[in-house]
Amino acid sequence: MGAVIRVPRFCGAQHRGERHAALAQPCCDALQIPRQSVGLSGFVLCDGAGGTTAVARSAAASARAGWQALQRLRREPRLGADPHLLEHFRARLLRRRGPVPLLDHTLLACCWDRRRLLVLQVGDSTLLVRQGGQWHNPLPPSKGDYANQTTFLRRHTPIESIQVWQAPATEVEAVLAFSDGLESAFLGPARPGYDRLEANAALADLVIQEHRRRHGGRGYPAWLARSLADPGLAQLSDDDRTLVIASR
């Protein structure tokens, strides 16, 4: 018999951006981390555009519904070969949102089970994955013509705008996922001759080391949330900041 694959538990924290706080607006990053079941962990992150309560409520509804839709999708062995599966995912998510109006937000959905790590992305929330001791960004942030534009999850979002990445579970060592408020911290300019943004490996390693040292200890969630309020991060972005971590 082969060794049992232990699935790490995701944990995360959020910080309301200074811009929203100054205007007495809510945090519009919505994070859903379901209670871990045997051999399964994951999250859904939806980043709402704007600072209204309605946008925050819309993002939260999609984050909850996104996890339910992802559970159906992860059981499909033909994912990646049949584009209709992504159409079914989008339809299930929209159906399960309930009566909450669909407003502009992005989507980053991830599940890690004993078979694979599966990630779906619409927009500019993204993640770093460590494999073979190296960090990389498998799904670069989707940007529009202007710096503040991205792709949003809509009823008729083109299927090609739903990006998919997957890897065997045993090959993944750690995951760091984040909304675009942390993009400039974890991603740097592309190297000469390359198109993709470069992972900030030094920061990613530091975060994982602290995660391993503190995780499970009293006060860890509060410490993680305080870390996102660091003035150095505020200088990089005054947007809402969400960070999600899992590591073997």
Side-chain angles (χ1 to χ4, degrees):
M1 295 179 60
V4 175
I5 298 175
R6 181 179 177 275
V7 178
R9 174 175 170 269
F10 279 96
C11 62
Q14 296 183 281
H15 175 75
R16 180 171 62 156
E18 289 72 20
R19 173 163 38 94
H20 285 169
L23 297 173
Q25 296 174 340
C27 174
C28 290
D29 283 2
L31 177 61
Q32 177 79 9
I33 302 181
R35 184 176 300 174
Q36 186 180 20
S37 59
V38 176
L40 173 65
S41 185
F43 69 89
V44 181
L45 168 58
C46 293
D47 181 356
T52 68
T53 301
V55 166
R57 189 177 298 123
S58 178
S62 289
R64 291 190 297 269
W67 179 252
Q68 295 172 332
L70 188 62
Q71 296 319 290
R72 289 287 301 273
L73 187 66
R74 77 179 183 89
R75 300 187 184 102
E76 298 287 353
R78 288 182 52 79
L79 180 62
D82 185 354
H84 295 296
L85 292 176
L86 295 181
E87 294 178 356
H88 296 329
F89 167 81
R90 180 182 59 187
R92 288 190 191 104
L93 187 157
L94 296 175
R95 188 167 58 247
R96 291 178 177 274
R97 293 181 79 259
V100 181
L102 178 63
L103 303 178
D104 285 345
H105 62 72
T106 63
L107 172 81
L108 184 68
C110 173
C111 65
W112 194 348
D113 59 26
R114 289 170 176 162
R115 188 162 54 101
R116 64 181 169 184
L117 180 78
L118 171 63
V119 186
L120 270 67
Q121 178 205 56
V122 179
D124 54 9
S125 291
T126 188
L127 75 171
L128 298 180
V129 178
R130 191 167 71 182
Q131 294 176 280
Q134 301 294 318
W135 290 99
H136 66 109
N137 174 223
L139 294 174
S142 173
K143 299 292 186 182
D145 293 333
Y146 301 95
N148 63 343
Q149 286 186 341
T150 187
T151 303
F152 297 118
L153 179 68
R154 296 188 170 116
R155 296 191 181 278
H156 301 292
T157 299
I159 292 302
E160 57 268 23
S161 294
I162 304 178
Q163 303 297 312
V164 180
W165 184 83
Q166 51 191 319
T170 53
E171 294 183 2
V172 179
E173 300 159 6
V175 176
L176 283 175
F178 43 92
S179 59
D180 66 338
L182 289 170
E183 180 181 317
S184 54
F186 285 104
L187 291 174
R191 288 180 294 169
Y194 291 83
D195 295 329
R196 294 200 169 192
L197 298 173
E198 187 77 5
N200 186 344
L203 178 60
D205 282 334
L206 178 62
V207 170
I208 288 297
Q209 289 169 8
E210 287 297 298
H211 170 70
R212 288 175 173 167
R213 186 167 70 90
R214 296 174 178 265
H215 186 43
R218 180 176 298 178
Y220 174 73
W223 172 84
L224 190 58
R226 288 195 303 270
S227 298
L228 295 183
D230 185 278
L233 293 177
Q235 289 182 358
L236 294 176
S237 173
D238 63 358
D239 197 3
D240 299 329
R241 300 190 282 276
T242 299
L243 180 64
V244 191
I245 308 172
S247 175
R248 294 194 183 281

CSV table of all heavy atoms in Angstrom, one decimal, residues 60-104:
chain,number,residue,atom,x,y,z
A,60,ALA,N,-19.3,38.0,-1.2
A,60,ALA,CA,-19.4,36.9,-0.2
A,60,ALA,C,-20.3,35.8,-0.7
A,60,ALA,O,-20.1,34.6,-0.5
A,60,ALA,CB,-20.0,37.5,1.1
A,61,ALA,N,-21.4,36.2,-1.4
A,61,ALA,CA,-22.3,35.2,-2.0
A,61,ALA,C,-21.6,34.3,-3.0
A,61,ALA,O,-21.8,33.0,-3.0
A,61,ALA,CB,-23.5,35.8,-2.6
A,62,SER,N,-20.8,34.8,-3.8
A,62,SER,CA,-20.1,34.0,-4.8
A,62,SER,C,-19.0,33.2,-4.2
A,62,SER,O,-18.7,32.1,-4.7
A,62,SER,CB,-19.5,35.0,-5.9
A,62,SER,OG,-20.5,35.5,-6.7
A,63,ALA,N,-18.4,33.7,-3.1
A,63,ALA,CA,-17.4,32.9,-2.5
A,63,ALA,C,-18.0,31.6,-1.9
A,63,ALA,O,-17.4,30.5,-2.0
A,63,ALA,CB,-16.7,33.7,-1.4
A,64,ARG,N,-19.1,31.7,-1.2
A,64,ARG,CA,-19.8,30.6,-0.7
A,64,ARG,C,-20.3,29.6,-1.8
A,64,ARG,O,-20.0,28.4,-1.7
A,64,ARG,CB,-21.0,31.0,0.2
A,64,ARG,CG,-20.7,31.7,1.5
A,64,ARG,CD,-21.9,31.9,2.3
A,64,ARG,NE,-22.9,32.7,1.7
A,64,ARG,CZ,-23.0,34.1,1.8
A,64,ARG,NH1,-22.1,34.7,2.6
A,64,ARG,NH2,-23.9,34.8,1.2
A,65,ALA,N,-20.9,30.2,-2.8
A,65,ALA,CA,-21.4,29.3,-3.9
A,65,ALA,C,-20.2,28.7,-4.7
A,65,ALA,O,-20.4,27.6,-5.2
A,65,ALA,CB,-22.3,30.2,-4.8
A,66,GLY,N,-19.1,29.4,-4.8
A,66,GLY,CA,-18.0,28.9,-5.5
A,66,GLY,C,-17.4,27.7,-5.0
A,66,GLY,O,-17.0,26.8,-5.7
A,67,TRP,N,-17.4,27.6,-3.6
A,67,TRP,CA,-16.9,26.3,-3.0
A,67,TRP,C,-17.8,25.2,-3.3
A,67,TRP,O,-17.3,24.1,-3.6
A,67,TRP,CB,-16.7,26.5,-1.5
A,67,TRP,CG,-16.2,25.3,-0.8
A,67,TRP,CD1,-16.9,24.4,0.0
A,67,TRP,CD2,-14.9,24.7,-1.0
A,67,TRP,NE1,-16.1,23.4,0.4
A,67,TRP,CE2,-14.9,23.6,-0.2
A,67,TRP,CE3,-13.7,25.1,-1.7
A,67,TRP,CZ2,-13.7,22.8,-0.1
A,67,TRP,CZ3,-12.6,24.3,-1.5
A,67,TRP,CH2,-12.6,23.2,-0.8
A,68,GLN,N,-19.1,25.4,-3.3
A,68,GLN,CA,-20.0,24.3,-3.6
A,68,GLN,C,-19.9,23.8,-5.0
A,68,GLN,O,-19.9,22.6,-5.3
A,68,GLN,CB,-21.4,24.8,-3.3
A,68,GLN,CG,-21.7,25.1,-1.9
A,68,GLN,CD,-23.1,25.7,-1.7
A,68,GLN,OE1,-23.6,26.4,-2.5
A,68,GLN,NE2,-23.7,25.5,-0.5
A,69,ALA,N,-19.7,24.8,-5.9
A,69,ALA,CA,-19.6,24.4,-7.4
A,69,ALA,C,-18.2,23.7,-7.6
A,69,ALA,O,-18.1,22.8,-8.4
A,69,ALA,CB,-19.7,25.7,-8.2
A,70,LEU,N,-17.2,24.1,-6.9
A,70,LEU,CA,-15.9,23.6,-7.0
A,70,LEU,C,-15.9,22.1,-6.6
A,70,LEU,O,-15.1,21.3,-7.2
A,70,LEU,CB,-14.8,24.3,-6.3
A,70,LEU,CG,-13.4,24.0,-6.5
A,70,LEU,CD1,-13.0,24.2,-7.9
A,70,LEU,CD2,-12.5,24.8,-5.5
A,71,GLN,N,-16.7,21.7,-5.6
A,71,GLN,CA,-16.7,20.3,-5.2
A,71,GLN,C,-17.2,19.4,-6.3
A,71,GLN,O,-16.8,18.3,-6.4
A,71,GLN,CB,-17.6,20.2,-3.9
A,71,GLN,CG,-17.0,21.0,-2.7
A,71,GLN,CD,-15.5,20.8,-2.6
A,71,GLN,OE1,-15.0,19.7,-2.3
A,71,GLN,NE2,-14.8,21.9,-2.9
A,72,ARG,N,-18.2,19.9,-7.1
A,72,ARG,CA,-18.6,19.1,-8.2
A,72,ARG,C,-17.6,19.0,-9.3
A,72,ARG,O,-17.3,17.9,-9.8
A,72,ARG,CB,-19.9,19.7,-8.8
A,72,ARG,CG,-21.1,19.5,-7.9
A,72,ARG,CD,-21.7,18.1,-7.9
A,72,ARG,NE,-22.0,17.7,-9.2
A,72,ARG,CZ,-23.2,17.9,-9.8
A,72,ARG,NH1,-24.2,18.5,-9.1
A,72,ARG,NH2,-23.5,17.4,-11.0
A,73,LEU,N,-16.9,20.1,-9.5
A,73,LEU,CA,-15.9,20.1,-10.6
A,73,LEU,C,-14.7,19.2,-10.3
A,73,LEU,O,-14.1,18.6,-11.2
A,73,LEU,CB,-15.5,21.6,-10.8
A,73,LEU,CG,-14.5,21.8,-12.0
A,73,LEU,CD1,-15.3,21.5,-13.3
A,73,LEU,CD2,-14.0,23.2,-12.0
A,74,ARG,N,-14.2,19.2,-9.1
A,74,ARG,CA,-13.0,18.5,-8.7
A,74,ARG,C,-13.2,17.0,-8.9
A,74,ARG,O,-12.2,16.3,-9.0
A,74,ARG,CB,-12.6,18.8,-7.3
A,74,ARG,CG,-13.4,18.1,-6.2
A,74,ARG,CD,-12.9,18.4,-4.8
A,74,ARG,NE,-13.6,17.7,-3.8
A,74,ARG,CZ,-13.2,16.5,-3.3
A,74,ARG,NH1,-12.1,15.9,-3.8
A,74,ARG,NH2,-13.9,15.9,-2.4
A,75,ARG,N,-14.4,16.5,-9.0
A,75,ARG,CA,-14.6,15.0,-9.2
A,75,ARG,C,-14.5,14.6,-10.7
A,75,ARG,O,-14.6,13.5,-11.0
A,75,ARG,CB,-16.0,14.6,-8.6
A,75,ARG,CG,-16.1,14.9,-7.1
A,75,ARG,CD,-17.4,14.3,-6.6
A,75,ARG,NE,-17.6,14.7,-5.2
A,75,ARG,CZ,-18.4,15.7,-4.8
A,75,ARG,NH1,-19.1,16.4,-5.7
A,75,ARG,NH2,-18.6,15.9,-3.5
A,76,GLU,N,-14.4,15.6,-11.5
A,76,GLU,CA,-14.4,15.4,-13.0
A,76,GLU,C,-12.9,15.0,-13.4
A,76,GLU,O,-12.1,15.8,-13.4
A,76,GLU,CB,-14.9,16.6,-13.8
A,76,GLU,CG,-16.3,17.0,-13.5
A,76,GLU,CD,-17.3,16.0,-14.1
A,76,GLU,OE1,-16.9,15.1,-14.8
A,76,GLU,OE2,-18.5,16.2,-13.8
A,77,PRO,N,-12.7,13.8,-13.9
A,77,PRO,CA,-11.4,13.4,-14.3
A,77,PRO,C,-11.0,14.0,-15.7
A,77,PRO,O,-9.8,14.1,-16.0
A,77,PRO,CB,-11.5,11.9,-14.5
A,77,PRO,CG,-12.9,11.6,-14.7
A,77,PRO,CD,-13.7,12.7,-13.9
A,78,ARG,N,-12.0,14.5,-16.4
A,78,ARG,CA,-11.7,15.1,-17.8
A,78,ARG,C,-11.5,16.6,-17.7
A,78,ARG,O,-11.4,17.2,-18.8
A,78,ARG,CB,-12.8,14.8,-18.7
A,78,ARG,CG,-12.8,13.3,-19.2
A,78,ARG,CD,-13.9,13.1,-20.2
A,78,ARG,NE,-13.9,14.0,-21.3
A,78,ARG,CZ,-13.1,13.9,-22.3
A,78,ARG,NH1,-12.2,12.9,-22.4
A,78,ARG,NH2,-13.1,14.8,-23.3
A,79,LEU,N,-11.4,17.2,-16.5
A,79,LEU,CA,-11.2,18.6,-16.4
A,79,LEU,C,-9.9,19.0,-17.2
A,79,LEU,O,-8.8,18.4,-17.0
A,79,LEU,CB,-11.1,19.0,-15.0
A,79,LEU,CG,-10.8,20.5,-14.7
A,79,LEU,CD1,-12.0,21.3,-15.3
A,79,LEU,CD2,-10.6,20.8,-13.3
A,80,GLY,N,-10.0,20.0,-18.0
A,80,GLY,CA,-8.9,20.4,-18.9
A,80,GLY,C,-9.0,19.9,-20.3
A,80,GLY,O,-8.5,20.5,-21.2
A,81,ALA,N,-9.8,18.9,-20.5
A,81,ALA,CA,-10.1,18.3,-21.8
A,81,ALA,C,-11.4,18.7,-22.3
A,81,ALA,O,-11.7,18.6,-23.5
A,81,ALA,CB,-9.9,16.8,-21.8
A,82,ASP,N,-12.4,19.0,-21.5
A,82,ASP,CA,-13.7,19.3,-21.9
A,82,ASP,C,-14.1,20.7,-21.4
A,82,ASP,O,-14.4,20.9,-20.2
A,82,ASP,CB,-14.7,18.3,-21.2
A,82,ASP,CG,-16.1,18.4,-21.7
A,82,ASP,OD1,-16.4,19.4,-22.4
A,82,ASP,OD2,-16.9,17.6,-21.4
A,83,PRO,N,-14.2,21.7,-22.3
A,83,PRO,CA,-14.5,23.1,-21.8
A,83,PRO,C,-15.9,23.2,-21.3
A,83,PRO,O,-16.2,24.2,-20.5
A,83,PRO,CB,-14.3,23.9,-23.1
A,83,PRO,CG,-14.5,22.9,-24.2
A,83,PRO,CD,-13.9,21.6,-23.7
A,84,HIS,N,-16.8,22.3,-21.6
A,84,HIS,CA,-18.1,22.4,-21.1
A,84,HIS,C,-18.2,22.2,-19.6
A,84,HIS,O,-19.1,22.7,-18.9
A,84,HIS,CB,-19.0,21.3,-21.7
A,84,HIS,CG,-19.2,21.5,-23.2
A,84,HIS,ND1,-19.9,22.6,-23.7
A,84,HIS,CD2,-18.8,20.8,-24.3
A,84,HIS,CE1,-19.9,22.6,-25.1
A,84,HIS,NE2,-19.3,21.4,-25.4
A,85,LEU,N,-17.2,21.6,-19.0
A,85,LEU,CA,-17.1,21.4,-17.5
A,85,LEU,C,-17.0,22.8,-16.9
A,85,LEU,O,-17.6,23.0,-15.8
A,85,LEU,CB,-16.0,20.5,-17.1
A,85,LEU,CG,-16.1,19.1,-17.6
A,85,LEU,CD1,-14.8,18.3,-17.2
A,85,LEU,CD2,-17.3,18.4,-16.9
A,86,LEU,N,-16.3,23.7,-17.5
A,86,LEU,CA,-16.2,25.1,-16.9
A,86,LEU,C,-17.5,25.8,-17.0
A,86,LEU,O,-17.8,26.6,-16.2
A,86,LEU,CB,-15.0,25.8,-17.6
A,86,LEU,CG,-13.6,25.3,-17.3
A,86,LEU,CD1,-12.6,26.1,-18.0
A,86,LEU,CD2,-13.3,25.2,-15.8
A,87,GLU,N,-18.2,25.6,-18.1
A,87,GLU,CA,-19.5,26.2,-18.3
A,87,GLU,C,-20.5,25.7,-17.2
A,87,GLU,O,-21.2,26.5,-16.6
A,87,GLU,CB,-20.1,25.9,-19.6
A,87,GLU,CG,-19.3,26.5,-20.8
A,87,GLU,CD,-19.9,26.1,-22.1
A,87,GLU,OE1,-20.9,25.3,-22.2
A,87,GLU,OE2,-19.4,26.6,-23.2
A,88,HIS,N,-20.4,24.4,-16.9
A,88,HIS,CA,-21.2,23.8,-15.8
A,88,HIS,C,-20.8,24.4,-14.4
A,88,HIS,O,-21.7,24.7,-13.6
A,88,HIS,CB,-21.0,22.3,-15.8
A,88,HIS,CG,-21.5,21.6,-17.0
A,88,HIS,ND1,-22.6,22.1,-17.7
A,88,HIS,CD2,-21.1,20.5,-17.6
A,88,HIS,CE1,-22.8,21.3,-18.8
A,88,HIS,NE2,-21.9,20.3,-18.7
A,89,PHE,N,-19.5,24.6,-14.2
A,89,PHE,CA,-19.0,25.2,-13.0
A,89,PHE,C,-19.6,26.6,-12.8
A,89,PHE,O,-20.2,27.0,-11.7
A,89,PHE,CB,-17.5,25.3,-13.0
A,89,PHE,CG,-16.9,26.2,-11.9
A,89,PHE,CD1,-16.8,25.7,-10.6
A,89,PHE,CD2,-16.6,27.5,-12.2
A,89,PHE,CE1,-16.3,26.6,-9.6
A,89,PHE,CE2,-16.0,28.3,-11.2
A,89,PHE,CZ,-15.9,27.8,-9.9
A,90,ARG,N,-19.5,27.5,-13.8
A,90,ARG,CA,-20.1,28.8,-13.8
A,90,ARG,C,-21.6,28.8,-13.5
A,90,ARG,O,-22.1,29.6,-12.7
A,90,ARG,CB,-19.7,29.6,-15.0
A,90,ARG,CG,-20.2,31.0,-15.0
A,90,ARG,CD,-19.9,31.7,-16.3
A,90,ARG,NE,-20.5,31.0,-17.5
A,90,ARG,CZ,-20.3,31.3,-18.8
A,90,ARG,NH1,-19.4,32.3,-19.0
A,90,ARG,NH2,-20.8,30.6,-19.7
A,91,ALA,N,-22.3,27.9,-14.2
A,91,ALA,CA,-23.7,27.9,-14.1
A,91,ALA,C,-24.1,27.4,-12.7
A,91,ALA,O,-25.1,28.0,-12.1
A,91,ALA,CB,-24.3,26.9,-15.1
A,92,ARG,N,-23.4,26.5,-12.1
A,92,ARG,CA,-23.7,26.0,-10.7
A,92,ARG,C,-23.4,27.1,-9.7
A,92,ARG,O,-24.2,27.4,-8.8
A,92,ARG,CB,-22.9,24.8,-10.4
A,92,ARG,CG,-23.2,23.5,-11.1
A,92,ARG,CD,-22.5,22.3,-10.5
A,92,ARG,NE,-22.7,21.1,-11.3
A,92,ARG,CZ,-21.7,20.6,-12.1
A,92,ARG,NH1,-20.6,21.2,-12.2
A,92,ARG,NH2,-22.0,19.6,-12.8
A,93,LEU,N,-22.3,27.8,-9.9
A,93,LEU,CA,-22.0,28.9,-9.0
A,93,LEU,C,-23.1,30.0,-9.0
A,93,LEU,O,-23.6,30.4,-8.0
A,93,LEU,CB,-20.6,29.5,-9.4
A,93,LEU,CG,-20.0,30.6,-8.4
A,93,LEU,CD1,-18.5,30.6,-8.6
A,93,LEU,CD2,-20.6,31.9,-8.6
A,94,LEU,N,-23.5,30.4,-10.2
A,94,LEU,CA,-24.5,31.5,-10.3
A,94,LEU,C,-25.8,31.0,-9.8
A,94,LEU,O,-26.6,31.8,-9.1
A,94,LEU,CB,-24.6,31.9,-11.8
A,94,LEU,CG,-23.4,32.5,-12.4
A,94,LEU,CD1,-23.6,32.8,-13.9
A,94,LEU,CD2,-23.0,33.8,-11.6
A,95,ARG,N,-26.1,29.7,-9.9
A,95,ARG,CA,-27.4,29.2,-9.5
A,95,ARG,C,-27.4,29.1,-7.9
A,95,ARG,O,-28.5,29.4,-7.3
A,95,ARG,CB,-27.7,27.8,-10.0
A,95,ARG,CG,-29.0,27.2,-9.8
A,95,ARG,CD,-29.3,26.0,-10.6
A,95,ARG,NE,-28.3,25.0,-10.5
A,95,ARG,CZ,-27.4,24.6,-11.4
A,95,ARG,NH1,-27.4,25.2,-12.5
A,95,ARG,NH2,-26.6,23.6,-11.1
A,96,ARG,N,-26.3,28.8,-7.3
A,96,ARG,CA,-26.2,28.7,-5.9
A,96,ARG,C,-26.0,30.0,-5.1
A,96,ARG,O,-26.1,30.0,-3.9
A,96,ARG,CB,-25.1,27.7,-5.5
A,96,ARG,CG,-25.4,26.3,-5.9
A,96,ARG,CD,-24.3,25.3,-5.6
A,96,ARG,NE,-24.5,24.0,-5.9
A,96,ARG,CZ,-25.2,23.1,-5.1
A,96,ARG,NH1,-25.5,23.5,-3.9
A,96,ARG,NH2,-25.4,21.9,-5.5
A,97,ARG,N,-25.8,31.1,-5.8
A,97,ARG,CA,-25.7,32.4,-5.2
A,97,ARG,C,-26.9,32.8,-4.5
A,97,ARG,O,-26.9,33.7,-3.6
A,97,ARG,CB,-25.2,33.4,-6.2
A,97,ARG,CG,-23.8,33.2,-6.7
A,97,ARG,CD,-23.5,34.3,-7.7
A,97,ARG,NE,-23.0,35.5,-7.0
A,97,ARG,CZ,-23.8,36.6,-6.7
A,97,ARG,NH1,-25.0,36.6,-7.2
A,97,ARG,NH2,-23.3,37.6,-6.1
A,98,GLY,N,-28.1,32.4,-5.0
A,98,GLY,CA,-29.3,32.8,-4.4
A,98,GLY,C,-29.7,34.1,-5.0
A,98,GLY,O,-29.3,34.5,-6.1
A,99,PRO,N,-30.6,34.9,-4.3
A,99,PRO,CA,-31.1,36.2,-4.9
A,99,PRO,C,-30.2,37.4,-4.8
A,99,PRO,O,-30.5,38.4,-5.3
A,99,PRO,CB,-32.4,36.4,-4.0
A,99,PRO,CG,-32.0,35.8,-2.7
A,99,PRO,CD,-31.1,34.6,-3.0
A,100,VAL,N,-29.0,37.2,-4.3
A,100,VAL,CA,-28.0,38.3,-4.2
A,100,VAL,C,-27.6,38.8,-5.6
A,100,VAL,O,-27.1,38.0,-6.4
A,100,VAL,CB,-26.8,38.0,-3.4
A,100,VAL,CG1,-25.8,39.2,-3.2
A,100,VAL,CG2,-27.2,37.5,-2.0
A,101,PRO,N,-27.8,40.1,-5.9
A,101,PRO,CA,-27.4,40.6,-7.2
A,101,PRO,C,-25.9,40.3,-7.5
A,101,PRO,O,-25.1,40.5,-6.6
A,101,PRO,CB,-27.7,42.1,-7.2
A,101,PRO,CG,-28.7,42.2,-6.1
A,101,PRO,CD,-28.4,41.2,-5.1
A,102,LEU,N,-25.6,40.0,-8.8
A,102,LEU,CA,-24.2,39.7,-9.2
A,102,LEU,C,-23.6,41.1,-9.6
A,102,LEU,O,-24.0,41.6,-10.6
A,102,LEU,CB,-24.2,38.7,-10.3
A,102,LEU,CG,-22.8,38.4,-10.9
A,102,LEU,CD1,-21.9,37.8,-9.8
A,102,LEU,CD2,-22.9,37.5,-12.1
A,103,LEU,N,-22.6,41.5,-8.8
A,103,LEU,CA,-21.9,42.7,-9.1
A,103,LEU,C,-20.5,42.4,-9.4
A,103,LEU,O,-20.1,41.2,-9.3
A,103,LEU,CB,-22.0,43.7,-7.9
A,103,LEU,CG,-23.4,44.1,-7.5
A,103,LEU,CD1,-23.4,45.0,-6.3
A,103,LEU,CD2,-24.2,44.8,-8.6
A,104,ASP,N,-19.7,43.3,-9.8
A,104,ASP,CA,-18.3,43.1,-10.3
A,104,ASP,C,-17.4,42.5,-9.2
A,104,ASP,O,-17.2,43.2,-8.2
A,104,ASP,CB,-17.7,44.3,-10.9
A,104,ASP,CG,-18.3,44.6,-12.3
A,104,ASP,OD1,-18.9,43.8,-12.9
A,104,ASP,OD2,-18.1,45.8,-12.7
